[in-house]
């Protein structure tokens, strides 16, 4: 199981037993065949891209920092105005008040 988990797989113990046909050792070509079928961890930036797309309604790759600030101030845990201002100091906002995806990832 560890040989599958190290490169990013996350099989259950039952899946490991099934993949190895109950054997304790397998050959390299069998391992490579198994790894072709195993789902590896997904890109951790995927959910961030989805979240960014919510704000990037025009598909420009930039979002309005003031709108983002407003949403952050009204989401979930209800941040105080000072907390939102502190969070917004982290990402680089361009001269047009826009925040790019890379800056958004840094923020997240």
């Amino acid at each position: 199981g560890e040989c599958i988990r190290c490169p990013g797989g996350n099989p259950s113990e039952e899946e490991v037993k099934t993949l190895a046909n109950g054997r304790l050792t397998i050959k390299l070509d069998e391992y490579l065949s198994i790894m072709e079928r195993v789902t590896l961890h997904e890109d951790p930036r995927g959910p961030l891209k989805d979240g960014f797309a919510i704000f990037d309604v025009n598909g420009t790759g930039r979002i309005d920092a003031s709108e983002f600030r407003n949403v952050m101030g009204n989401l979930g845990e209800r941040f105080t105005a000072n907390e939102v201002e502190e969070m917004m100091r982290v990402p680089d906002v361009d001269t047009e008040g826009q925040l790019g995806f890379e800056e958004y990832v840094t923020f997240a």
Side-chain angles (χ1 to χ4, degrees), residues 50-64:
D50 295 342
F52 187 83
I54 292 170
F55 297 104
D56 186 17
V57 293
N58 297 326
T60 62
R62 312 288 297 164
I63 60 175
D64 184 82

Side-chain angles (χ1 to χ4, degrees), residues 7 21 23-24 26 45 51-52 58 62 69-70 74 83 93 97 99 101-102:
N21 293 323
R23 294 174 293 154
L24 296 177
I26 59 173
R45 295 167 56 115
F52 187 83
N58 297 326
R62 312 288 297 164
R69 179 182 287 117
N70 183 41
N74 293 310
E83 289 171 324
V93 177
L99 185 66
F101 178 70
E102 291 303 320

Side-chain angles (χ1 to χ4, degrees), residues 32-74:
L32 295 174
S33 176
I34 289 170
M35 291 307 292
E36 287 177 358
R37 296 178 282 167
V38 171
T39 302
L40 301 180
H41 295 294
E42 294 180 21
D43 178 8
R45 295 167 56 115
L48 294 176
K49 288 178 185 177
D50 295 342
F52 187 83
I54 292 170
F55 297 104
D56 186 17
V57 293
N58 297 326
T60 62
R62 312 288 297 164
I63 60 175
D64 184 82
S66 63
E67 177 63 21
F68 186 66
R69 179 182 287 117
N70 183 41
V71 170
M72 288 305 299
N74 293 310

Side-chain angles (χ1 to χ4, degrees), residues 83-95:
E83 289 171 324
V84 172
E85 286 304 315
E86 187 64 31
M87 285 187 281
M88 291 305 294
R89 288 187 192 148
V90 175
D92 289 328
V93 177
D94 68 17
T95 57

